Amino acid sequence: MDKIQEYLEHIHKLLHDNRIPELRGELAEDSLLLQIHDELKIIREVLFAFSSGDFSSAISIRGIIPGCLKSLQAHLRHLIWQVQMVEKGDFSQEVRFMGEFSTAFNSMVQRLNLSLSKLQEKEETLLDINNKLRKEVKRMEILRESEARFKFLASHDPLTGILNRRSFIEMAGVELANAIDLCVPCCFAMMDVDHFKDFNDAYGHLAGDEALRHVVRIVEEGLRKNDFMGRYGGEEFILFFYGADEKTGMKVLERLRTRLSGKSITVGTGSVTIHASFGLAGSNREKPEEKGYIQRLIDDADTALYAAKMAGRNRVMLYNPEQETRRHSVISNAYQDSGLTEEDETL
């Protein structure tokens, strides 16, 4: 009876104590007790591994309890795999072996799947909206570019890219009004490409267009920071020099004339040097409040240009009233030789 009690106490310790009891004396010699001891020891180790989340332990013993443990181990391994699949976005997983936990797990997966579907719908809607917005932004950019292009074409010469006559006069008016308020001198200059008709006749109009672009490039590169130019018409160009008296304006024009004469243009198999004549008029000679003041300055610069051409071209001339008298005299003589009058020419 005492021996049975010892057996029971040993088994009880195997089931309840933290440490595994040792078999000693006669207990260690009992083969049945030794077998029970070893199997309970294995079961303890497997359950301890389960409690720490380790389901990899091999269960080598047989019987109802080890069988249940093996089945539980297989289910738990499969459950881990299912959770991993859910983590990757597979919401088709279902658990059927853990009662209330299975119900809760399956409900959670279904809710996740539903939430994901709604998010995907919203994402598709947002993508659609985003694509529409991108298209609208692109359309607006095209419209803005077109509008800017139209504004540029309306205010600039399409051949050379510089200001056209109307825009030049408007801009010069603003700059001149500001200069007058600040008592800053300014100048207007007219430029005419020498013998341009002969150039066109010799090399063609396409070469003539390239020649005009060449002239504009060279002249613009030589302008000061606040100076600008525009195309007045044909081969004539107009320039505005801010903060320049007549002496400074003459120096600027002479520099531009020299730059242009020093750079040739390639035509066919050869190169041609293009020259230009310049006329200058200062803004400090007339009262700025006078009607048609800007046009008067432009006309004066044109008179000086005419004098430069009459003097042999490829030179710079400053306006003076005597040039105007000589110009009218030359024009009148030309009309007399032709049998016409200035009034006839106007009609």
Side-chain angles (χ1 to χ4, degrees):
M1 192 69 179
D2 293 338
K3 190 175 183 180
I4 295 175
Q5 185 66 30
E6 289 181 13
Y7 285 3
L8 293 175
E9 288 178 356
H10 183 81
I11 294 172
H12 185 270
K13 289 178 180 180
L14 282 171
L15 294 174
H16 295 279
D17 289 1
N18 291 329
R19 298 181 61 182
I20 298 176
E22 296 182 6
L23 284 174
R24 296 177 180 177
E26 294 182 357
L27 295 180
E29 297 175 358
D30 192 306
S31 59
L32 178 59
L33 181 59
L34 182 60
Q35 181 180 354
I36 294 173
H37 174 88
D38 291 339
E39 290 180 352
L40 286 178
K41 180 181 177 181
I42 292 173
I43 291 172
R44 278 173 58 105
E45 291 172 351
V46 170
L47 290 175
F48 182 79
F50 283 7
S51 67
S52 61
D54 179 9
F55 306 109
S56 62
S57 300
I59 304 175
S60 58
I61 58 178
R62 297 182 179 182
I64 184 63
I65 295 178
C68 291
L69 289 177
K70 288 180 181 179
S71 178
L72 177 60
Q73 184 183 53
H75 285 309
L76 291 175
R77 285 179 177 175
H78 184 67
L79 177 61
I80 291 172
W81 178 84
Q82 287 181 300
V83 172
Q84 292 173 342
M85 295 303 294
V86 171
E87 182 185 11
K88 294 178 181 179
D90 179 4
F91 300 111
S92 63
Q93 304 299 320
E94 289 187 1
V95 177
R96 295 189 175 87
F97 73 95
M98 296 185 70
E100 293 182 359
F101 173 83
S102 298
T103 301
F105 179 87
N106 295 338
S107 177
M108 177 194 70
V109 172
Q110 291 173 3
R111 289 179 179 273
L112 287 173
N113 190 32
L114 180 61
S115 298
L116 179 63
S117 298
K118 291 181 178 179
L119 286 174
Q120 289 174 340
E121 291 176 1
K122 290 181 179 179
E123 182 181 10
E124 291 175 358
T125 302
L126 289 174
L127 286 174
D128 184 57
I129 294 174
N130 183 53
N131 289 333
K132 290 180 179 179
L133 286 174
R134 286 178 179 273
K135 291 179 180 179
E136 184 65 19
V137 169
K138 185 64 176 178
R139 188 180 72 84
M140 293 300 293
E141 289 177 352
I142 293 174
L143 288 176
R144 281 196 296 269
E145 290 175 359
S146 299
E147 182 180 1
R149 180 62 178 166
F150 287 140
K151 287 182 178 179
F152 181 87
L153 291 175
S155 60
H156 289 71
D157 172 48
L159 176 64
T160 61
I162 60 176
L163 294 170
N164 58 30
R165 181 194 299 191
R166 176 183 59 80
S167 297
F168 175 91
I169 292 175
E170 289 178 356
M171 186 171 176
V174 173
E175 294 296 324
L176 186 58
N178 178 64
I180 290 170
D181 291 340
L182 299 174
C183 297
V184 174
C186 297
C187 291
F188 283 85
M190 291 291 292
M191 179 183 74
D192 185 87
V193 179
D194 294 335
H195 303 294
F196 186 67
K197 182 178 183 304
D198 295 338
F199 184 94
N200 267 340
D201 292 342
Y203 302 108
H205 289 285
L206 291 179
D209 289 345
E210 182 55 38
L212 293 179
R213 287 190 286 264
H214 166 80
V215 169
V216 169
R217 283 195 299 269
I218 301 304
V219 172
E220 279 199 312
E221 289 172 0
L223 291 177
R224 303 174 309 161
K225 180 179 179 180
N226 294 323
D227 300 339
F228 55 91
M229 69 183 298
R231 189 176 182 186
Y232 201 68
E235 67 271 23
E236 282 192 320
F237 298 89
I238 187 169
L239 301 98
F240 181 81
F241 301 149
Y242 184 89
D245 56 17
E246 292 176 346
K247 182 178 180 180
T248 302
M250 291 292 287
K251 289 182 179 180
V252 173
L253 286 182
E254 183 60 31
R255 185 178 72 247
L256 296 178
R257 187 196 67 79
T258 303
R259 283 176 56 86
L260 186 60
S261 299
K263 295 182 181 293
S264 60
I265 179 174
T266 301
V267 180
T269 57
S271 61
V272 177
T273 300
I274 298 176
H275 302 286
S277 301
F278 299 84
L280 181 77
S283 66
N284 54 344
R285 297 176 304 95
E286 301 284 350
K287 294 180 180 180
E289 62 270 14
E290 183 179 340
K291 185 177 180 181
Y293 177 61
I294 291 180
Q295 190 59 51
R296 176 74 63 83
L297 292 175
I298 293 174
D299 292 342
D300 290 348
D302 189 55
T303 297
L305 169 63
Y306 181 81
K309 294 169 75 69
M310 291 299 100
R313 294 183 170 85
N314 190 25
R315 65 192 64 228
V316 177
M317 297 289 283
L318 176 64
Y319 171 80
N320 67 68
E322 293 181 2
Q323 294 168 346
E324 194 143 0
T325 302
R326 288 197 296 269
R327 182 178 186 180
H328 285 306
S329 176
V330 171
I331 294 174
S332 296
N333 291 335
Y335 281 131
Q336 289 175 5
D337 293 340
S338 65
L340 297 172
T341 66
E342 293 185 46
E343 182 178 357
D344 293 330
E345 183 68 17
T346 305
L347 291 175

